[in-house]
Amino acid sequence: MALVKRVALAPRAVRQFRRVRSVYVAGMLLSALTLLSYNDADTGGRQTAIAGVFLVVFAGLLTLTTVQLWRHGRTKHCSTAKRLTRLSI
């Protein structure tokens, strides 16, 4: 009995997942820079907390997107995965 059902993603979904990864990385970088700029204990209590929450959210979204693309690439039977994977020469 398989615990994980393999579902092939549509080509449009795969392209969108690949494009949105850069947005998530940029969000993580901006959140990290914000956290580093508020390193004083006196300033930015609420701003630091919000930047930390954004960092965790963007990291979670990037992780989920990466896992989805990884799982999609592992499906050998899917013609979409075969067409959209980059060839390593």
Side-chain angles (χ1 to χ4, degrees), residues 71-88:
R71 285 180 61 202
H72 178 73
R74 290 188 54 198
T75 55
K76 304 289 185 218
H77 60 84
C78 178
S79 64
T80 305
K82 291 176 186 174
R83 279 186 286 151
L84 293 177
T85 52
R86 295 185 179 138
L87 298 174
S88 58

Side-chain angles (χ1 to χ4, degrees), residues 9-22:
L9 296 172
R12 181 178 180 186
V14 174
R15 285 192 304 269
Q16 288 175 348
F17 275 144
R18 287 185 177 163
R19 287 180 186 146
V20 81
R21 282 187 299 186
S22 61

Side-chain angles (χ1 to χ4, degrees), residues 8-88:
L9 296 172
R12 181 178 180 186
V14 174
R15 285 192 304 269
Q16 288 175 348
F17 275 144
R18 287 185 177 163
R19 287 180 186 146
V20 81
R21 282 187 299 186
S22 61
V23 174
Y24 295 154
V25 170
M28 285 178 56
L29 289 175
L30 287 174
S31 299
L33 288 174
T34 304
L35 279 174
L36 291 175
S37 68
Y38 287 129
N39 59 1
D40 293 335
D42 297 335
T43 60
R46 183 176 293 171
Q47 290 89 354
T48 304
I50 291 172
V53 168
F54 278 143
L55 182 63
V56 169
V57 167
F58 281 123
L61 289 171
L62 181 65
T63 302
L64 289 175
T65 302
T66 305
V67 167
Q68 282 288 75
L69 286 172
W70 178 73
R71 285 180 61 202
H72 178 73
R74 290 188 54 198
T75 55
K76 304 289 185 218
H77 60 84
C78 178
S79 64
T80 305
K82 291 176 186 174
R83 279 186 286 151
L84 293 177
T85 52
R86 295 185 179 138
L87 298 174
S88 58

